[in-house]
Amino acid sequence: MDQQQHQTPAETAPQPQSQGAPSEPAAAPAPIALTDLTNSGNPLMAAHSAPMDQVLPEALQEVAPAAVPEIFPGSLSADALYMPLQQQQQLFLDPSNPNQLPIADPTVLPLMAPPVVDNTISAAEIALYDRQIRLWGIQAQQRIRGANVLLITMKALANEVAKNLVLAGIGSLTILDGDVVTEADLGSQFFLSAAEGHIGRNRAEAASAAIARLNPRVRVIVDQESIKAKGTSYFAAFDVVVATDLDSGLLTFINTATRLHQKPFYAAGTHGLYGFVFSDLIEHDYVIERDLSNVPTRLGPEGRSRTRSVVAVKTRTEGGKTRETVTKRELYSTWFLSSDGSSLPDEFASSARRKRAVGPALSCLRALWEFQSLNAGRLPGLTKEDLGLFTKLATGQHAQLGLPAETLRSDFLRSFLQNLGSEVAPVTAILGGQLAQDVINVLGQSQQPIQNTIIFDGNTMESSMYSLHPAGALGRELLSFSTPAAPVANGLEMPLPGVMMNMDGTLDFSGGGAIMTQ
């Protein structure tokens, strides 16, 4: 299917404009299989290949940030960036290179991306990304250019995310998917084609060539393993982790791993006309510039917000006007605590009018995540037992949020259940555009990010954002990995880096015994 049929005005990620740019090589580099990046002797490899229920404390200690020596960049040509990693390392360590700087230990070079040694944007790239550089500036584009993003599950929603991130010019994209292409995939995924023999091939590998052709400057890496085969240390190599179309238990595991390594995390999924985007950025600082107001900007919490505060203010005079640069900080909570048990923010809870305006899709999605947690990740079937349980869970979630009972109608429940497991291209395009744009904003640190849950209802074509958090501490204080078994909000206990995750989403300490409770 033509890619243009999937693009909507809601997709906000700017696309590269090549008109007027200096000539560039037309051919895209071949996508890189993860097996090509194997670096024998690297302690990361053992942890990467270990199943998540076999991750040992020793492996986690080996890849702790403090244990990894600092890597000093040398100088590589643009052509060298497309070499196999082993050849890059040999060139990188070549003493004849006049710009070579020492490396503490060559066995700890990054696994998932080559050493990016010069993050200066070329004239060709400035011309290519002109529109978006005008929007958020050259420094933000440099940060985007150096980013290494992991995208999990290559279905219709991830197609949209990958397209927008690659066109925006990130440094590298790793796509992880252990499933194969089926006929059902062809109806909603524009990177796949029956004519190219994609049916039966690995879904990530089949889509990778088309993704790489979108922007030859972006390194595309294919990982054909299942997410269930990964240990927590696997996620340490990425700047942002995006997980799509997974069940609640797997999202809990991935988010726990990203918290362990202090990495931004996004979860998203669609079911026909309905979908969501969730973000846990832990603590994220971003900068806005504006004309100086008559009302001084004060440091500290912004208004009545639990999540947003002003941490720095600077002023400067420019063209006879005084401008101020304001650094704000957003605090987040985990998927486990936000997706079940969290309440609506005060501005909704204290207003009957606003509570009536909250769509029932929020309650139904939370009921779906709860159903999956109780049923090994599967979707509700058409049996009387499943329908009865889902209805009970949806009614309970609606009441827990304090929403009026009359806004959860039987016809909406029927519509929601009928949409489960399906993919609708306009919905994936809208949510994929929103998610990718927020990833770009977070990398560029120049726009206010999602806080923290977006719910989309295709019946009304409305995309609503809710700040869903538990009571108590947020941000880094929410889950402490510096002290053993530190209790936090809602009775949750989080362990030291020896944590192991069971497939049902519960956590075990390496010493045994401690389980997440709520």
Side-chain angles (χ1 to χ4, degrees):
M1 187 176 293
D2 192 324
Q3 175 181 329
Q4 295 298 325
Q5 296 178 5
H6 293 265
Q7 297 182 4
T8 73
E11 295 176 66
T12 54
Q15 300 185 9
Q17 301 296 305
S18 58
Q19 186 173 1
S23 59
E24 292 289 331
I32 302 161
L34 187 63
T35 52
D36 295 337
L37 302 180
T38 301
N39 183 11
S40 59
N42 192 322
L44 284 170
M45 286 306 298
H48 282 189
S49 60
M52 62 186 181
D53 60 348
Q54 297 178 8
V55 177
L56 301 177
E58 292 79 10
L60 290 170
Q61 291 294 338
E62 284 184 286
V63 298
V68 180
E70 182 178 1
I71 298 172
F72 298 91
S75 177
L76 292 178
S77 66
D79 293 339
L81 293 179
Y82 298 137
M83 293 179 179
L85 184 61
Q86 186 175 6
Q87 294 181 31
Q88 290 181 33
Q89 292 177 2
Q90 292 173 355
L91 181 60
F92 192 67
L93 299 172
D94 185 358
S96 65
N97 183 348
N99 296 317
Q100 176 61 46
L101 294 175
I103 295 179
D105 184 354
T107 66
V108 295
L109 284 169
L111 283 173
M112 304 310 298
V116 179
V117 297
D118 184 3
N119 206 31
T120 303
I121 296 182
S122 66
E125 289 174 296
I126 291 175
L128 183 66
Y129 302 122
D130 176 69
R131 287 194 305 172
Q132 58 200 51
I133 290 174
R134 291 173 186 268
L135 178 63
W136 52 60
I138 192 74
Q139 291 183 342
Q141 186 64 37
Q142 285 178 320
R143 288 190 287 266
I144 293 166
R145 183 182 185 268
N148 183 18
V149 178
L150 171 64
L151 180 59
I152 305 170
T153 311
M154 205 59 198
K155 298 180 71 175
L157 178 59
N159 276 217
E160 298 287 351
V161 175
K163 176 192 68 177
N164 289 316
L165 291 179
V166 167
L167 290 174
I170 61 172
S172 68
L173 177 70
T174 299
I175 47 179
L176 169 67
D177 196 326
D179 291 336
V180 298
V181 177
T182 65
E183 289 187 8
D185 292 320
L186 302 180
S188 57
Q189 300 180 43
F190 47 76
F191 289 134
L192 303 178
S193 169
E196 296 184 33
H198 287 158
I199 295 179
R201 290 168 57 184
N202 174 268
R203 203 155 49 192
E205 185 271 332
S208 61
I211 296 173
R213 285 195 295 268
L214 290 174
N215 191 343
R217 293 168 180 79
V218 177
R219 186 178 176 89
V220 178
I221 300 169
V222 175
D223 189 339
Q224 300 185 33
E225 280 195 324
S226 167
I227 182 62
K228 297 179 182 179
K230 300 301 183 184
T232 55
S233 59
Y234 173 78
F235 304 93
F238 304 99
D239 298 302
V240 178
V241 175
V242 180
T244 64
D245 295 309
L246 295 175
D247 66 74
S248 185
L250 283 173
L251 294 178
T252 298
F253 160 68
I254 298 168
N255 192 194
T256 301
T258 57
R259 277 265 169 168
L260 174 64
H261 296 290
Q262 299 290 296
K263 303 294 183 179
F265 168 72
Y266 288 87
T270 64
H271 292 280
L273 295 175
Y274 310 101
F276 74 95
V277 175
F278 166 83
S279 64
D280 176 18
L281 309 182
I282 309 176
E283 292 185 6
H284 176 69
D285 290 358
Y286 60 98
V287 178
I288 59 173
E289 290 194 15
R290 60 194 181 193
D291 291 335
L292 185 65
S293 170
N294 293 329
V295 179
T297 302
R298 301 183 183 278
L299 299 180
E302 190 172 74
R304 299 174 58 189
S305 174
R306 289 183 60 210
T307 64
R308 187 179 308 120
S309 61
V310 177
V311 296
V313 179
K314 296 180 180 179
T315 60
R316 73 177 190 277
T317 301
E318 185 178 272
K321 292 185 177 181
T322 302
R323 302 272 293 173
E324 68 174 357
T325 301
V326 181
T327 302
K328 296 186 179 184
R329 177 171 297 159
E330 289 279 358
L331 304 180
Y332 290 81
S333 55
T334 63
W335 165 263
F336 178 77
L337 294 177
S338 295
S339 62
D340 184 26
S342 59
S343 57
L344 287 168
D346 291 341
E347 58 265 30
F348 285 89
S350 59
S351 170
R353 178 184 61 83
R354 297 196 70 174
K355 284 194 288 187
R356 284 195 298 271
V358 176
L362 173 59
S363 300
C364 287
L365 282 167
R366 286 169 64 123
L368 174 63
W369 302 329
E370 186 177 0
F371 183 96
Q372 290 179 314
S373 297
L374 296 172
N375 291 275
R378 69 176 179 88
L379 297 175
L382 298 179
T383 65
K384 181 178 179 180
E385 292 77 13
D386 279 6
L387 296 177
L389 176 58
F390 180 82
T391 302
K392 178 181 178 181
L393 295 176
T395 303
Q397 289 286 351
H398 205 68
Q400 184 180 37
L401 290 168
L403 302 177
E406 62 270 18
T407 60
L408 181 64
R409 303 182 307 275
S410 59
D411 58 336
F412 186 91
L413 286 171
R414 187 181 306 111
S415 171
F416 185 87
L417 289 166
Q418 289 171 344
N419 276 267
L420 290 180
S422 63
E423 297 178 299
V424 176
V427 175
T428 59
I430 292 170
L431 280 177
Q434 287 182 303
L435 196 164
Q437 184 62 60
D438 203 66
V439 172
I440 293 167
N441 289 343
V442 166
L443 292 172
Q445 300 176 350
S446 59
Q447 302 286 336
Q448 181 174 329
I450 291 172
Q451 178 59 269
N452 64 339
T453 304
I454 287 178
I455 302 295
F456 181 80
D457 185 341
N459 294 308
T460 60
M461 293 301 292
E462 291 180 348
S463 188
S464 303
M465 184 167 67
Y466 305 100
S467 182
L468 302 175
H469 297 286
L474 300 176
R476 289 190 176 90
E477 295 182 13
L478 178 63
L479 299 181
S480 174
F481 292 98
S482 60
T483 56
V488 293
N490 290 2
L492 178 68
E493 291 188 342
M494 290 303 297
L496 285 166
V499 63
M500 292 192 295
M501 174 70 69
N502 297 323
M503 289 306 302
D504 62 358
T506 59
L507 293 173
D508 288 331
F509 288 89
S510 57
I515 301 293
M516 288 196 304
T517 59
Q518 187 175 19

